[in-house]
């Protein structure tokens, strides 16, 4: 049923005395609202708002719409617009209708953002533009002095609206839900949405969409500080976004492995500690290498991880991963293994002692280091048992043989051959035999190879003897040094206990 318009649009430019050249100000900006997500048969109110509505006395507005998509129902004016008001819906015979509004009254000023009119439509289908029709003297405003206000260019003063049907809700978003910080080119996709002219995506903080972002497929890069959060998508048409689909993504920071420790060792069975500290979520899997061999460690649940080793090399972690991601490693630990120098052999040459080692010597008197006595040769100043230890690269040798030196009237006397230990090595017992005259009293002190006193033997017989039977069943197997004292003489001998 066609609706015909029979009304008079009363505007100031029709009044006697109006001067078309007296343009004093610009027209207000008139905006028809854009409303989306409409359902067939839904009645929708479209407000018309204004900015710059100052001292206005008349209004004439023309708004075109597609009658196959929406039907005009009525128009309500702002109650502040007192005076004459007319509205009509014209059938243009092209499938489009035109709503014509006229108002005239006392000049009026309204705050910016105020509504002038509310159009009410019934929505049926599709997307329809609400277009202001302004050619020459169609849409116009005048002020209280009957001056027509400047409203060109049209697009600057008359903002069209839009009515759109509801977009379908997006389906499931496909893509990875567990990512690692720094991961790139992660693809997310949603099925195409009917009626959508584009897509609106959001990604968690620290993530960015690379390439095209308004299609149903995107590629996302996660930065090193990306956070867990939601990926969302909605279809978009001329009226804006529709319903939203959400996919939660967990972003895990990269695990790290930091290597420290290591030291310079002696090749005597000593070990160094390699320490690996981890960050991330256990369990960790990692490979550690000393430059020669690589070891894989799996399902490590605690940190730090310790390695005790006597193998030389530069230790680094070559790869590391935790329960979520592959990560980064740093730091190193160096293990240097130095040889233990052989025990030196000392000899008495004239009044000087000489070591077989040209460097690293430390001379001892009664197993006590002699301050400053570090040369290859040393001249004793007092009577006693002398020996030598060699230290190179912080590794010390076994103690040398002992020489007993007697200082009297410029003579020295070696005492290393006063006694014989039979057998040597020995087990349970051994015989201590004097190579000189029989001895009545003898004392023997047993020292470990690191100088700890572990046993004493003190024998005093009623008559002199050249052989003493000594019980060693209480000694553990190993190397011992025997400090043997008889009368006014002393000697150091080695004993191996089996």
């Amino acid at each position: 049923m066609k609706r015909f318009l029979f009304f008079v649009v009363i505007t100031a430019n029709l009044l006697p005395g109006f001067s078309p050249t007296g343009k004093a100000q610009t027209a207000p900006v008139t905006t028809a609202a854009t409303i989306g997500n409409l359902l067939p048969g839904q009645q929708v109110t479209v407000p018309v708002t204004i900015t710059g509505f100052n001292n206005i006395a008349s209004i004439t507005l023309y708004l075109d719409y597609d009658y196959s998509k929406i039907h005009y129902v009525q128009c309500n004016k702002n109650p502040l617009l007192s005076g004459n008001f007319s509205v009509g819906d014209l059938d243009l015979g092209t499938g489009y209708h035109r709503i014509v509004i006229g108002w005239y009254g006392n000049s009026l000023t309204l705050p910016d953002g105020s509504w002038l009119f509310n159009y009410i439509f019934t929505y049926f289908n599709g997307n329809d533009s609400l277009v202001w029709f302004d050619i020459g003297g169609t849409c116009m405003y005048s002020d209280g002095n009957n001056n027509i206000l400047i409203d060109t260019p049209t697009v600057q003063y008359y903002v069209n609206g839009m009515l759109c049907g509801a977009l379908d809700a997006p389906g499931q978003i496909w893509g990875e839900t567990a990512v690692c910080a720094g991961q790139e080119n992660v693809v997310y996709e949603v099925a195409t949405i009917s009626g959508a002219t584009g897509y609106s995506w959001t990604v968690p903080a620290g993530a960015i969409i690379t390439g095209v972002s308004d299609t149903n497929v995107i590629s996302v890069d996660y930065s090193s500080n990306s956070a867990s959060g939601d990926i969302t998508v909605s279809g978009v048409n001329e009226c804006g976004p529709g319903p939203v689909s959400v996919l939660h993504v967990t972003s895990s920071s990269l695990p790290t492995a930091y290597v420290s420790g290591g030291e310079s060792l002696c090749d005597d069975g000593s070990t160094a500690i390699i320490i690996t500290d981890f960050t991330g979520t256990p369990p960790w899997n990692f490979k550690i290498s000393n430059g020669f061999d690589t070891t894989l460690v799996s399902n490590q649940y605690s940190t730090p991880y310790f390695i005790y080793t006597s193998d030389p090399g530069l230790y680094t972690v070559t790869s590391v991963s935790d329960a979520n991601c592959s990560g980064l490693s740093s730091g190193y630990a160096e293990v240097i293994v130095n040889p233990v120098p052989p025990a030196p052999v000392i000899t008495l040459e004239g009044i000087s002692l000489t070591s077989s080692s040209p460097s690293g010597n430390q001379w001892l008197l009664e197993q006590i280091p002699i301050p400053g006595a570090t040369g290859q040769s040393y001249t004793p100043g007092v009577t006693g048992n002398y020996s030598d230890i060699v230290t190179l690269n912080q590794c010390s040798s076994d103690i040398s043989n002992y020489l007993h030196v007697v200082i009297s009237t410029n003579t020295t006397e070696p005492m290393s051959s006063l006694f014989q230990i039979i057998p040597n090595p020995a087990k349970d017992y051994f015989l201590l035999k004097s190579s000189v005259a029989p001895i009545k009293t003898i004392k023997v002190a047993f020292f470990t190879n690191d100088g700890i006193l572990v046993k004493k033997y003190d024998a005093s017989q009623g008559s002199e003897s050249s052989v003493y039977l000594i019980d060693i069943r209480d000694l553990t197997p190993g190397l011992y040094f025997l400090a043997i004292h008889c009368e006014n003489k002393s000697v150091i001998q080695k004993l191996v206990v089996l």
Side-chain angles (χ1 to χ4, degrees):
M1 173 178 176
K2 295 185 178 180
R3 187 180 297 174
F4 296 93
L5 177 67
F6 298 97
F7 67 96
V8 177
V9 178
I10 304 174
T11 58
N13 60 322
L14 301 178
L15 299 176
F18 170 71
S19 173
T21 60
K23 297 180 180 180
Q25 68 185 61
T26 58
V29 176
T30 307
T31 303
T34 292
I35 302 173
N37 296 313
L38 300 176
L39 299 175
Q42 179 179 346
Q43 197 168 87
V44 56
T45 298
V46 181
V48 175
T49 57
I50 44 86
T51 300
F53 194 93
N54 300 317
N55 191 31
I56 304 299
S58 70
I59 304 170
T60 303
L61 295 174
Y62 292 76
L63 186 71
D64 293 353
Y65 68 93
D66 187 341
Y67 191 74
S68 68
K69 298 179 178 178
I70 60 175
H71 287 179
Y72 169 77
V73 177
Q74 69 183 57
C75 179
N76 301 319
K77 69 178 179 66
N78 189 319
L80 296 177
L81 296 173
S82 60
N84 298 292
F85 174 67
S86 299
V87 60
D89 182 32
L90 289 174
D91 183 352
L92 300 180
T94 61
Y96 284 84
H97 280 212
R98 178 172 294 159
I99 303 172
V100 182
I101 288 179
W103 171 82
Y104 173 74
N106 295 325
S107 60
L108 178 68
T109 298
L110 294 175
D112 288 349
S114 298
W115 66 279
L116 280 182
F117 308 107
N118 283 331
Y119 293 104
I120 300 176
F121 296 94
T122 298
Y123 170 81
F124 292 102
N125 62 80
N127 301 332
D128 187 27
S129 297
L130 304 175
V131 180
W132 297 110
F133 179 73
D134 182 33
I135 298 177
T138 49
C139 287
M140 65 179 65
Y141 288 85
S142 67
D143 62 16
N145 295 320
N146 299 324
N147 295 315
I148 297 177
L149 305 185
I150 299 170
D151 62 359
T152 55
T154 299
V155 294
Q156 181 176 332
Y157 292 94
Y158 301 100
V159 181
N160 298 329
M162 176 75 71
L163 297 181
C164 303
L167 288 166
D168 293 338
Q172 177 184 353
I173 300 173
W174 292 289
E176 294 186 41
T177 57
V179 299
C180 299
Q183 192 170 342
E184 297 180 344
N185 300 320
V186 182
V187 175
Y188 294 93
E189 180 177 1
V190 69
T192 56
I193 300 173
S194 176
T197 58
Y199 296 80
S200 176
W201 293 86
T202 67
V203 294
I208 59 170
I209 300 173
T210 59
V212 180
S213 62
D214 62 350
T215 67
N216 66 316
V217 181
I218 60 170
S219 179
V220 177
D221 286 354
Y222 290 89
S223 67
S224 59
N225 60 348
S226 60
S228 299
D230 292 334
I231 289 183
T232 69
V233 65
S234 61
V236 176
N237 59 20
E238 292 90 337
C239 294
V244 175
S245 185
V246 179
L247 178 69
H248 186 74
V249 176
T250 301
S251 178
S252 299
S253 59
L254 300 185
T256 64
Y258 178 74
V259 182
S260 60
E263 60 183 295
S264 182
L265 302 176
C266 298
D267 190 12
D268 57 2
S270 300
T271 58
I273 302 176
I274 310 300
I275 305 168
T276 306
D277 291 282
F278 298 101
T279 65
T281 304
W284 293 278
N285 300 309
F286 65 100
K287 292 180 180 179
I288 188 164
S289 172
N290 65 358
F292 306 100
D293 301 307
T294 299
T295 301
L296 172 63
V297 180
S298 301
N299 296 321
Q300 175 64 24
Y301 279 87
S302 61
T303 181
Y305 178 82
F306 298 97
I307 295 176
Y308 298 87
T309 182
S310 56
D311 295 330
L314 189 66
Y315 287 77
T316 58
V317 168
T318 58
S319 67
V320 61
S321 62
D322 68 357
N324 302 312
C325 303
S326 296
L328 307 171
S329 62
S330 60
Y332 65 89
E334 186 173 13
V335 176
I336 300 172
V337 179
N338 297 305
V340 175
V345 176
I346 62 173
T347 57
L348 183 63
E349 299 176 4
I351 62 172
S352 293
L353 297 169
T354 300
S355 169
S356 60
S357 175
S359 60
N361 294 282
Q362 174 60 64
W363 291 94
L364 311 172
L365 173 60
E366 306 297 350
Q367 300 186 22
I368 298 174
I370 303 170
T374 57
Q376 186 175 8
S377 297
Y378 178 70
T379 301
V382 296
T383 298
N385 296 298
Y386 288 85
S387 57
D388 182 35
I389 289 178
V390 173
T391 301
L392 298 174
N393 297 317
Q394 300 181 347
C395 297
S396 298
S397 69
D398 285 338
I399 198 166
S400 71
N401 57 307
Y402 287 84
L403 289 179
H404 184 78
V405 178
V406 177
I407 303 299
S408 64
T409 63
N410 299 322
T411 62
T412 61
E413 179 184 359
M415 298 297 294
S416 59
S417 59
L418 282 176
F419 294 95
Q420 288 181 294
I421 297 174
I422 304 172
N424 192 0
K427 182 178 182 182
D428 296 337
Y429 299 91
F430 72 88
L431 295 176
L432 184 61
K433 184 178 181 181
S434 172
S435 61
V436 294
I439 301 170
K440 183 176 181 180
T441 301
I442 189 167
K443 295 180 180 180
V444 183
F446 292 76
F447 295 89
T448 62
N449 60 356
D450 53 358
I452 299 175
L453 176 64
V454 295
K455 180 180 176 66
K456 288 185 177 181
Y457 174 84
D458 190 350
S460 178
Q461 301 187 12
S463 60
E464 294 180 346
S465 175
S466 298
V467 178
Y468 291 84
L469 178 64
I470 300 179
D471 184 353
I472 56 171
R473 288 177 296 177
D474 56 339
L475 296 181
T476 59
L479 174 65
Y480 295 87
F481 292 95
L482 277 56
I484 306 168
H485 302 276
C486 60
E487 299 177 358
N488 62 346
K489 297 181 180 179
S490 299
V491 67
I492 302 295
Q493 293 283 15
K494 285 185 180 181
L495 169 65
V496 176
V497 176
L498 299 176

